[in-house]
Amino acid sequence: SAANAAANCIKGDRKPPYTIGWADIYSVPTWMKQTQGTIEAEVETLKKQGLVDKLVVTDAQGDANVQIQQIQSMIDSNIDAIILIAGSSTAPARVLADACSKGIAIINFDSLVDTDKVTAKVNTDSAQWGDQAAKFLINAIGGKGKILILNGPAGISVSDDRRKGADAELKAHPDVKVLAETNTPYNVAPAQEAVTSLLFANPEIDGILSLGGALSAGAVLALDKQGREQVPITGENARQFLELWKEKGLKSWATMQPNWLGAFAAYTAVQALQGKDVPAFVKIPLPVIDNSNIDEYLARAKDFPADGYIYSPYDEELFKKLLAQK
Amino acid sequence: MTTVAPLLAARGVSKAFFGNPVLRGVSIALQPGRVHALLGENGAGKSTLINLLSGALRPDGGEIEVDGRAVPRMTPVLARQAGIAVVQQELSLTASLSIAENIGLGAYPKRFGLIDYNELAARAKAACELVGLNEPLSTPVGHLALGRRQMVEIANALYRKPRVLILDEPTSSLSATETKILMDLLERLRGEGIAILYISHRLNEVMALCQHVTVLKDGTCTADRPLAGTDAAGLVRLMVGRDPGDLFPKWQPAVSTTTAITVRKFSAGLMRDVDLDIRTGEVLGIGGLVGQGQEDLLLGLYGAIPARTASATVNGVSGLPGGVPKANALGLAYVPADRKREGLHLIHPILTNMMLPAFARLPALKLRSRKAEGETGRSLAAQLAIKGDLQRPAQALSGGNQQKVALAKWMPHDPLVLLLNDPTRGVDVETKREVYLMLRAFAAAGKAVVLLSSDTPELVHLCDRVAVVREGRVAAMLERAALSEETIVSAAMGAGKQKVAA
Amino acid sequence: MSIVPSAKPAGALYWPVQAHRNIGVRALFLVVLAFLVAYGVLFPGLFTASGFAKFTQSWFPLALVAMAQAILMLTGGISLAIGATVSLGAVIAATTMAGPLGVAGGTAAVALTGLGIGAATGFIVVKLRLPAIVVTLAGSFIIGGAALLILPRPGGVIPAWLSDLLAGDTPAAFMLLVVIVVLWKLYLATPLGLSLYAAGENPVGAYRSGVPVDAARVAAYAISGLLSTGAGLFVAAQTGSGDPVIGTAFTLNSIAAAVLGGIGFLGGQGTMRGALAGSLLLSLMISVMFFLGFTPVAQYVAQGLIIIGAVAIPQIRKVQK
Amino acid sequence: MTAWNDSAGGKRVSAILKSRPFLTLAIVAAVWIVASFVSRGFGAYGHLRYLVELGAVIGLVAAGQTFVVIAGGIDLSVAAIVTVSAISLPLLSWQADTTGLVSVLAVLALTTAIGVVNGLGVALLRVHPMIMTLAMATFLQGLLIIIAGGSAVTAENPLVHWLGNARPAGIPAGIILWIAVSAIVLTVMHATPFGARIFAMGANPLAASLSGVPITSTTLAVYGISGFTAGLAGVLVLGMNGQGYVGIGDPYLLASIAAVVLGGTSILGGLGTYAGTIPGAVLLVTITALITVVNASPGWRSILFGSLILGLLLLSGREQARR
Ligand SMILES: Nc1ncnc2c1ncn2[C@@H]1O[C@H](COP(=O)(O)OP(=O)(O)OP(=O)(O)O)[C@@H](O)[C@H]1O
Ligand SMILES: Nc1ncnc2c1ncn2[C@@H]1O[C@H](COP(=O)(O)OP(=O)(O)OP(=O)(O)O)[C@@H](O)[C@H]1O
Ligand SMILES: [Mg+2]
Ligand SMILES: [Mg+2]
């Protein structure tokens, strides 16, 4: 009954095999496709264990309103679990509360919703991301100099959180001067265009604080095409960036939003449905890529799409450990 | 002479477009109880003058007076308040609205701020009855034939109970019956003391209806006088400034026995199971009441609408063309009736309009020769008396001149069969004469002409044979000897049916 | 008056006129009906109060933006700023309603913003004679920027009772839609409202007949703005908060819904009932495809096919006739 | 009246000075001059050259879009086609194809075919262009799910790399490509019967059809051209970024339409020229770059961008009354 259920939203009345709903916000981008790949792999494993019988996938085509409607349909079809990347950090809150009240396990990862009416949220710490990236960069340029900040789209919580996370470090180093900031989609081309213009307008720069996605590759290409010296730059685990890093011998640091968050979310949903205790927030430690381990990542590059992300390895042990942490 | 102040008058008005003077010091006065004719060649400035009178355009100089008082800034709204209604040719209608909504357009009766549909229905019905429109009032205007739309337009003007009624070529798309209704109506309105300004290129109408005439030539007033004591020839003299020749050319039949087009059991649109032979060297008229399927006959032969036939031969090739490009390749050319919608590219230069059939036939990527195009264009313009810069957009031409362009563009291709849909609609007499001469010359050269016309005299005097169409069939095929306005009209009405069939 | 048939039964003209307007959208109505039936069969819960409520709630904002787009297209205009305007409406609602302005003040602020933006756009397009598509493209950046200024990241709050009222288990959204449709019918029965058609299809002729062409067009833009921010308010209520980029997808969806509903681009062609049916089809499609278990790839392909089919089949039938 | 104004040559000069393309060009020049005073590096030769190179991508997409718009349509699938082109090139690579030319041609054939399908829907099914191309964009999204990330190969196509990076005689290859395409487009548009048919079709399709213009095949050709130039833009943008990705074409949908209209082509069809689209494309990238270097919050930058477009439209964009 509901009283002795362990995790949020779980009433203990759902029996395996479970049907899992994957409410994808937009299935076309490569990162999403890779993430879906890890979910499908995990579901296969769970199927073999007799825990899951079906994975239902919806694609909101980038529209948060459609995602809400699709989650509603999942509720209507009495699905057992919903895993989702939110199209808006606020919009799905009410529909999720509905789902929660119906005893559906909800695991929200990557882009989170501001609500506690979910079974668990799974994510890296965006503020920490910004903080660590800023630390590396400031250190790499010797505590002073002129930098550019590249960030994801405006109006999105993730990009805003990462940027805010960098604030403390930047304030602590008044000698680090931010020449310009831009917001673009997390893609190569717009970053390359923006950085090219910024470089012409600000000929002297010492470092680039790039906060995710494929922005860093764009910046490196921009510097390269102008025949400029590369500067210290932060980034994410995009394969193109890691390859450029090696090729140009960059002074870099990268972290990642591991694609296996998806697999982990599916795993966690099943755990919660089975009555296991699941923390309301599972914080995924940020894996760090630096010169010490970049070769390990690049060695596996051929297993990943050319425009994809080389994520850190994972297995069930890791998932168990993550769930066990308090 | 007259002591009454004119209801509406222009005093020495001038108007120029982009520096080209169109009207120079023109005056006109509309008196109650009088039908006033406004005549002039195509492009003389008639439409422009009524646009000034009705406030659609503002004069560069001179004044517009209502009841003898000058109105400094005439607008369509003011004009309507002053009881002035204008019948534009098919200009002000909205296809998706119903007949009633179109008739009431711009002056809906209101109740609590909403349109009072019952009142609208009543008043629209009254207006419709005046012009003999009996279609349900809820019919969308888009479903009506051209002539019926014109009647809606007239009903729209009458709906406002005007004191001054201005009609710009109202009969050019009307059938004989509709024209008759309109003539009777105007006569009655005149009797009620309404002032009427009537523009037409059909001089017999003008002679029958009007009491006073103003003639424009090149933007100036060349005559302003009572009509009494003038004949049609006199009117033409006033318009063109010299003695008119005969309107219709003298011609000898040159019909051969070879046929240009033969169809058996031909069906397209409204036309059903028609057998027809079009011979080389003849002008074959197509007559009948408006909307009996005549247009579908031409369009079907031309491949512009789907058509079926048991057998067909077109210029020696068997089978229908089945598409406009193919029809063109077989030597067919079509000149549509509605020049603005179907005939011309109004926003494009006159020259481009003239060259379009050539562009459609030349190899797609062959380089154009601007020089050759210019020469062709100039010679066509000279041939058809189209004046002025050929780089102007076609919409800057007056209606009649637009019609000439729609015709001219086929001339360089020397088509073997000309399919003409009311080619002289809105064309002034002088141009008509030229067009008639051209058509006969064309036939004499061994080509075939199919002339669909709503102008019965044209059919009588110009055609070797006339096919009268009724309810989708050829009700009668009248040979030249049997041609007269009476035979055509009675065949069209179905009266002479037995006689002809026998 | 005389004995002229003024004593005809009420609506003797109005209803036949309406009936003629149904002709163009009959095929679409059938398609929508088929989808509704399919949805009902696949998800019987649709016929419960809460099922119906949720279903109409997901349709409602799309219905509003479809109307917002349709009214412009009827006048020969178009807007690429609908999505941004929805977002702006949402953030204004989410930042005002919990504050001193309260729900009434917040609603007024949303409505005034919509009317103001619409009227300004209309003025620029109509009076300055600039192409609507680029004016509203530029407008979408300006309006979207304003939304970002008000709420740089998702946040704000809508009073819970309002959210429960509009987007709870009540058919409030449906009632609201009915009210809006009635208001629209009333507007279309005013001289200014009906002028939309004439102003869209034949502005020169309409002007010469004394139709207030410019006023009708500017009013259409203003109403369109109001409907868009209204949709934003509803989305904010539905989600309980504001998001400065929530409306983005509505721009293209509103165009798709309107065109699906038979609204032409040249102005004066189409009916609002068609646009509403178009938006309903778009919304139904999402749920029906879910219950049929379509994969994302199949969803994309089916969506494309349904949209083309719904437009092409009536066209082809028309040609065949 | 001055003497030269009366001469034929003088007339032509004054016509050019008054024309929309020239006006747009003048605006671009003015923006460049003002911007280089405001920001030192903005007006540097290298930067302007880079802007033109970026403009080339928009310009290529907008070339097809100009054809389509003049013909009375619109193509909302160009963004998806650019992406399909950039993503599918690595998939269509063969060992034997050492220059990379064959795979580029294969991709262009694919994108042209996509355009032709658009044309089929518009001409034969009579689906409105906006709906047809929107639905096509939706289809292509489905296609992208299938092919995206499907290849672990980077685009190591020599021809594509050359296009994106080479600078023969100091001019980026992309710009050279754009110049060549522009010359062809302007010739086809204004000096061939095919071009004249397109204008006629856009201004009055009914009259054009009755004059013998083959509407169906012309429509197919127009959308095919749009697919082709969008595909070419995809190849170029792939070369410039070294890597294609899903979403790479997204910025080019609205940009191509804006470039066309800013360049003076009527969105209603029948009037316009690619000669205006060219400065229109450069104008757009210039404004984008200008906004990038302005230090302001995202909201203000967005507002500034919109206001600039609106302001420039006021200078150049009056739509003539029609119908
Ligand atoms: N808006 C305009 N812009 C430029 N030229 C115009 C305009 N309106 C009329 N014109 C020109 O003014 C002249 C007079 O045109 P108008 O339409 O008044 O002639 P019309 O007498 O009505 O001829 P028709 O007998 O053919 O109807 C024509 O040469 C026409 O080209
Ligand atoms: N460049 C132009 N721009 C806008 N309107 C124009 C232009 N040129 C001409 N017009 C309008 O078109 C009219 C010519 O076409 P219109 O249909 O009025 O001719 P019309 O002779 O009155 O036609 P019809 O004789 O068939 O009634 C001009 O009187 C003018 O009002
Ligand atoms: Mg006239
Ligand atoms: Mg005329």
Side-chain angles (χ1 to χ4, degrees), chain B residues 20 350 354 377-378 381-382 385-392 397:
Chain B
N20 300 325
I350 298 164
M354 288 176 168
R378 273 191 300 278
I386 300 167
K387 287 171 225 112
D389 183 2
L390 296 182
Q391 290 302 336
R392 282 174 306 160
L397 287 177

Side-chain angles (χ1 to χ4, degrees), chain B residues 80 91-93 95-96 101 115 138, chain C residues 20-21 189 201-202 209-210 268:
Chain B
R80 256 196 341 282
L91 243 177
S92 62
L93 299 183
S96 49
E101 286 164 323
I115 299 171
S138 60
Chain C
H20 271 291
R21 294 206 181 125
E201 187 186 306
N202 185 353
S209 307

Side-chain angles (χ1 to χ4, degrees), chain B residues 232-303:
Chain B
L235 286 180
V236 176
R237 207 165 17 244
L238 287 175
M239 276 158 61
V240 299
R242 59 185 161 79
D243 271 334
D246 285 334
L247 180 54
F248 295 102
K250 300 252 178 295
W251 53 277
Q252 290 303 318
V255 188
S256 69
T257 47
T258 51
T259 57
I261 298 182
T262 309
V263 289
R264 291 289 171 268
K265 290 199 167 302
F266 170 92
S267 301
L270 293 178
M271 295 304 285
R272 286 281 165 271
D273 299 327
V274 172
D275 296 349
L276 195 64
D277 295 296
I278 300 165
R279 300 182 199 135
T280 56
E282 77 168 340
V283 176
L284 173 65
I286 310 276
L289 300 179
V290 175
Q292 302 292 306
Q294 299 96 313
E295 189 173 67
D296 295 338
L297 175 63
L298 296 195
L299 290 175
L301 291 175
Y302 191 53

Side-chain angles (χ1 to χ4, degrees), chain A:
Chain A
S1 73
N4 53 24
N8 244 344
C9 307
I10 304 297
K11 293 190 178 139
D13 53 352
R14 293 174 185 272
K15 299 283 166 273
Y18 304 113
T19 301
I20 297 182
W22 155 223
D24 196 350
I25 178 64
Y26 188 27
S27 64
V28 184
T30 307
W31 191 89
M32 287 291 187
K33 202 174 161 182
Q34 288 183 280
T35 303
Q36 176 150 338
T38 72
I39 296 174
E40 281 165 355
E42 182 64 27
V43 166
E44 277 313 304
T45 314
L46 294 165
K47 272 185 182 165
K48 284 196 192 106
Q49 298 168 3
L51 293 171
V52 171
D53 63 349
K54 205 168 136 203
L55 176 70
V56 174
V57 187
T58 60
D59 178 355
Q61 308 183 4
D63 183 346
N65 300 290
V66 170
Q67 189 180 39
I68 293 170
Q69 190 179 349
Q70 287 169 334
I71 293 174
Q72 183 64 49
S73 290
M74 287 184 180
I75 300 172
D76 292 343
S77 71
N78 196 26
I79 215 155
D80 297 304
I82 295 173
I83 61 178
L84 82 146
I85 293 177
S88 156
S89 63
T90 53
R94 283 176 55 88
V95 75
L96 291 181
D98 263 9
C100 184
S101 70
K102 300 229 159 64
I104 297 172
I106 305 161
I107 314 295
N108 176 201
F109 67 102
D110 188 49
S111 282
L112 302 183
V113 185
D114 297 337
T115 175
D116 359 318
K117 302 280 175 49
V118 294
T119 308
K121 295 186 204 173
V122 172
N123 206 6
T124 54
D125 185 333
S126 297
Q128 193 185 356
W129 180 314
D131 185 60
Q132 290 195 10
K135 276 209 177 80
F136 165 83
L137 189 74
I138 291 169
N139 191 22
I141 61 174
K144 66 176 203 303
K146 298 171 177 168
I147 65 166
L148 302 177
I149 301 182
L150 310 183
N151 199 359
I156 310 278
S157 304
V158 174
S159 43
D160 199 45
D161 286 340
R162 288 184 190 166
R163 176 64 188 84
K164 289 217 174 86
D167 263 345
E169 270 316 298
L170 290 173
K171 284 228 178 68
H173 294 85
D175 288 344
V176 175
K177 191 161 171 275
V178 178
L179 291 175
E181 296 197 35
T182 76
N183 295 78
T184 63
Y186 287 114
N187 285 334
V188 180
Q192 188 182 345
E193 289 170 22
V195 171
T196 303
S197 289
L198 288 174
L199 286 175
F200 275 105
N202 307 283
E204 287 159 33
I205 67 150
D206 304 305
I208 298 174
L209 181 62
S210 159
L211 294 170
L215 301 176
S216 314
V220 173
L221 286 175
L223 285 163
D224 193 47
K225 278 213 174 167
Q226 286 188 32
R228 306 261 304 243
E229 289 267 302
Q230 294 290 341
V231 296
I233 183 168
T234 60
E236 198 174 345
N237 59 335
R239 178 174 158 184
Q240 190 184 6
F241 172 57
L242 298 189
E243 286 174 343
L244 282 168
W245 175 344
K246 192 71 192 166
E247 185 191 323
K248 313 272 176 211
L250 301 181
K251 201 169 180 187
S252 280
W253 170 99
T255 181
M256 75 184 68
Q257 188 74 331
N259 296 85
W260 48 258
L261 286 179
F264 180 63
Y267 177 83
T268 308
V270 171
Q271 296 297 308
L273 285 168
Q274 288 183 294
K276 306 265 170 60
D277 186 15
V278 170
F281 188 90
V282 184
K283 184 168 147 187
I284 309 293
L286 284 168
V288 169
I289 307 175
D290 54 22
N291 278 326
S292 72
N293 61 358
I294 179 152
D295 290 334
E296 288 168 34
Y297 279 88
L298 285 174
R300 294 187 293 124
K302 61 178 187 329
D303 300 333
F304 295 84
D307 59 340
Y309 292 76
I310 306 177
Y311 49 81
S312 58
Y314 69 95
D315 56 17
E316 198 176 339
E317 283 312 301
L318 174 65
F319 290 175
K320 282 190 176 138
K321 221 164 67 199
L322 289 171
L323 280 182
Q325 71 180 352
K326 281 289 155 201

Side-chain angles (χ1 to χ4, degrees), chain B residues 41-48 50 168-169 199 201 398-400 426:
Chain B
E41 299 180 84
N42 292 133
K46 303 180 294 293
S47 299
T48 307
I50 67 164
D168 192 354
E169 294 186 51
I199 301 180
H201 290 291
S398 74

